[in-house]
Amino acid sequence: MDLFVQGVSHHYGDLQALDAIDLQVKGGQILALIGPSGCGKSTLLGIMGGMLQPTEGDVVAAGVPPADSLNPFTYIFQDFALLPWRSVAGNVALALEHHRLDRAERTARIEAALVLTGLRDFAAALPRQLSGGMRQRVGIARAVAVRPAILFLDEPLSALDAQTRELLLEDLLAIWQREATTAVYVTHNLDEAVRVADRIAVLSRRPGRIKQVMPVEIPRSERGDARHAADLAALHAQLWDLIRGEAAVADRELADG
Amino acid sequence: MAEETGQTPVPFRGGGFQPGARRWAPWAAFAAIIAGWQLASSTGLLPPLIMPSPYEVVLALGHLAASGDLTEHVGASLSRIAWGWSIGTLAGLGVGFAMGIWSLARSAGIPVVAALFPIPKIALLPLLILWLGIDEAPKIATIALGVFFPTVIGTYSAVDNVPRSLIRMAQSFNLPNPAIVWKVILPGAMPGILAAFRITSSIALILLVAAEMIGAEFGIGSFILAAGNLMQTDQLVAGVVLLSILGLTISFVLGRVEAWLLNWR
Ligand SMILES: Nc1ncnc2c1ncn2[C@@H]1O[C@H](COP(=O)(O)OP(=O)(O)OP(=O)(O)O)[C@@H](O)[C@H]1O
Ligand SMILES: [Mg+2]
């Protein structure tokens, strides 16, 4: 499925968060959204997945979601958003319970999602017993279980420590290696963007505008190769150039400015 | 060696200020109080007319139990508090949830609750007797009213405290609204609701005794009042002990319910 963001602006009261955003998410591709803090990345992601009504403009999806997709637009949250009173399997089940599925298929989906995220042995554990990395794995399993057409990730790794982040990023890349995924990946981490994305959209500071959309030409699976290191470093530097000035100004802005 | 090189151990300054649990301490405290009380009575420090000894209280309880009056009084009180608390709680949960979820219910409800909550509900008993007769109904209604308002307030604040991020998550997975209420809001509000239960159960106990003192043939409250009028302090204190036991039992049951429903915390 493709997604088209058309002339989207958003205001929170007097505060303008987004200004005339035009953007396309291409089916089978991962689009990274980067920009200085407070520039409206989360707002844009919310609008794209239908969780927030934009003040102006609209978002259009083209194509039909796959037949087995229960929830075409699915989020993975920065704070995991797990129900603390449900077990790991119960949290995954939450996304399936209100769909007409026979018991066998429901169990199969849960099982497959837990296996994919390495949570099989933790099915009965409660969220409070899990580390941050494992909690986010539950968030990923829950999203995988509904077979989304488009996945929205809002800084999925930023609540984790550096090592866990690296491990989980590798797992995500492995999952996306296996099955072509359409996703929008919000991050403030340029490294993550460069490793994950097919295209990187750079937002300006608030009110967020699209500053540039940069393709990453090197195939995702080859980005670890040494021969591409220089190209990726150059891309990283280019992105940093784009963002640096904005970030410095954004950092000095008053929150209610 | 250490002295020669000027080495000294770093003095330990942490620890303390961490009250823990001592299993025997509660029993010891009770035993000490009762022993002190018995001692004061036996030595004549406490005249029997003013305060009976623990032994006499136990005797009085024994007589009450033997004559069958105990079951009658405690039974009457238990049924009133059970009905009154349940009705008030169910209604309060319903209204509290409505106020936690819908703007209209909240905007209309908050001022009404604010106006009615401060009225000591026992003041309504005479009116309720006029409306409902002199039977059980006005006593149950008084307790229910007293329980209703704190339950409403506790419930809608508990609903407010359910993280919005969880509700947005549920919406993002297209959960229908009833499922969101049942699977996300209700369990998320449970800690606050159970905290309200602790408050409403003690309010119910107070109103029970007050209502029974105003007019009832049976019940712990009327029993205490009658004993007071006859200056039977042993019976009176026996009644008070019954209330303490009733309160402890309620709080024990609530503790169990909390441990069971909130085992995820
Ligand atoms: N519900 C809201 N009400 C009012 N203002 C809001 C609300 N949500 C966000 N904002 C403001 O809108 C701007 C954009 O917020 P948003 O969360 O989309 O930015 P972001 O790029 O995701 O930031 P971050 O990097 O901190 O995650 C910020 O200035 C923020 O303070
Ligand atoms: Mg954000």
Side-chain angles (χ1 to χ4, degrees):
Chain A
M1 263 171 67
D2 289 358
L3 202 69
F4 299 91
V5 179
Q6 300 168 335
V8 161
S9 298
H10 193 73
H11 294 258
Y12 290 108
D14 289 338
L15 182 115
Q16 182 167 21
L18 293 173
D19 186 22
I21 302 280
D22 287 300
L23 197 60
Q24 182 186 357
V25 184
K26 293 183 179 146
Q29 287 202 351
I30 297 175
L31 172 76
L33 267 181
I34 62 173
S37 72
C39 73
K41 303 183 291 294
S42 300
T43 306
L44 181 55
L45 200 69
I47 292 172
M48 288 169 111
M51 293 302 295
L52 206 60
Q53 185 80 53
T55 328
E56 258 175 70
D58 46 12
V59 181
V60 183
V64 279
D68 63 349
S69 174
L70 295 176
N71 192 49
F73 308 118
T74 299
Y75 283 86
I76 290 175
F77 300 89
Q78 178 176 10
D79 63 355
F80 321 136
L82 303 181
L83 300 182
W85 50 85
R86 282 190 177 225
S87 67
V88 166
N91 267 286
V92 177
L94 179 83
L96 306 175
E97 285 164 358
H98 58 289
H99 292 286
R100 284 179 196 280
L101 292 179
D102 50 63
R103 187 179 290 270
E105 161 145 34
R106 183 175 309 166
T107 344
R109 278 187 185 239
I110 296 172
E111 174 80 6
L114 294 184
V115 169
L116 190 69
T117 48
L119 285 169
R120 230 189 121 170
D121 297 337
F122 300 88
L126 286 171
R128 72 170 150 82
Q129 300 172 290
L130 302 176
S131 68
M134 291 307 251
R135 287 183 202 179
Q136 190 56 297
R137 284 195 163 83
V138 182
I140 296 168
R142 182 176 58 191
V144 166
V146 296
R147 316 256 158 88
I150 304 184
L151 197 56
F152 299 102
L153 304 99
D154 192 354
E155 307 200 21
L157 308 181
S158 68
L160 308 173
D161 63 78
Q163 286 140 31
T164 314
R165 196 181 307 164
E166 183 60 37
L167 285 173
L168 208 49
L169 183 60
E170 283 172 9
D171 285 2
L172 275 177
L173 289 171
I175 293 175
W176 292 336
Q177 190 61 42
R178 239 175 296 171
E179 35 204 307
T181 309
T182 313
V184 184
Y185 190 109
V186 168
T187 179
H188 56 246
N189 185 321
L190 301 186
D191 248 358
E192 263 172 55
V194 168
R195 288 174 62 182
V196 159
D198 296 292
R199 295 187 308 141
I200 303 176
V202 183
L203 288 179
S204 70
R205 67 169 193 276
R206 200 182 64 223
R209 300 188 181 95
I210 299 288
K211 239 183 135 168
Q212 198 163 340
V213 181
M214 300 233 254
V216 187
E217 308 287 3
I218 304 157
R220 220 186 330 277
S221 54
E222 293 172 20
R223 288 183 201 171
D225 296 2
R227 63 197 158 102
H228 294 305
D231 286 350
L232 290 174
L235 179 64
H236 189 290
Q238 219 178 333
L239 289 169
W240 179 229
D241 264 355
L242 274 172
I243 273 193
R244 179 182 188 123
E246 304 275 350
V249 180
D251 189 41
R252 299 173 144 270
E253 261 170 8
L254 292 177
D256 52 2
Chain B
M1 183 70 187
E3 268 145 46
E4 283 162 29
T5 53
Q7 291 179 343
T8 49
V10 175
F12 174 66
R13 290 155 299 162
F17 300 101
Q18 276 181 328
R22 299 273 182 280
R23 278 191 153 275
W24 50 268
W27 305 108
F30 275 117
I33 290 171
I34 293 173
W37 176 10
Q38 181 67 51
L39 200 69
S41 296
S42 308
T43 53
L45 222 59
L46 274 178
L49 204 61
I50 293 178
M51 189 70 180
S53 73
Y55 178 64
E56 287 166 324
V57 173
V58 171
L59 277 188
L61 278 175
H63 286 311
L64 265 179
S67 68
D69 288 354
L70 186 70
T71 358
E72 204 150 26
H73 289 299
V74 172
S77 290
L78 275 182
S79 118
R80 284 172 194 140
I81 202 169
W83 277 108
W85 186 84
S86 306
I87 294 171
T89 295
L90 283 180
L93 284 175
V95 174
F97 263 97
M99 283 170 64
I101 293 168
W102 292 301
S103 317
L104 182 64
R106 160 158 319 202
S107 317
I110 285 183
V112 176
V113 170
L116 298 182
F117 177 47
I119 302 172
K121 299 302 169 301
I122 196 69
L124 299 177
L125 184 59
L127 188 63
L128 291 170
I129 290 176
L130 285 180
W131 289 350
L132 303 173
I134 53 168
D135 277 348
E136 296 299 294
K139 299 182 191 72
I140 290 174
T142 307
I143 296 171
L145 276 173
V147 166
F148 174 76
F149 291 100
T151 306
V152 169
I153 294 172
T155 304
Y156 84 69
S157 340
V159 171
D160 282 354
N161 280 333
V162 178
R164 293 302 105 165
S165 61
L166 292 184
I167 298 176
R168 295 284 168 258
M169 178 278 292
Q171 288 177 322
S172 83
F173 282 98
N174 275 334
L175 262 74
N177 283 341
I180 293 180
V181 172
W182 182 248
K183 294 177 183 174
V184 180
I185 298 181
L186 179 66
M190 205 41 93
I193 291 174
L194 290 176
F197 282 5
R198 287 212 174 264
I199 296 169
T200 57
S201 63
S202 63
I203 292 177
L205 203 55
I206 294 170
L207 287 174
L208 169 77
V209 175
E212 286 178 344
M213 284 184 165
I214 288 180
E217 200 179 339
F218 295 106
I220 304 175
S222 66
F223 171 75
I224 290 175
L225 191 70
N229 289 339
L230 298 173
M231 302 227 288
Q232 295 168 330
T233 49
D234 56 340
Q235 306 262 328
L236 193 157
V237 174
V240 173
V241 167
L242 284 179
L243 285 177
S244 165
I245 293 173
L246 183 58
L248 275 176
T249 312
I250 292 175
S251 117
F252 173 79
V253 170
L254 281 177
R256 275 310 161 96
V257 172
E258 272 173 7
W260 171 55
L261 283 178
L262 305 184
N263 65 350
W264 47 271
R265 292 219 289 191

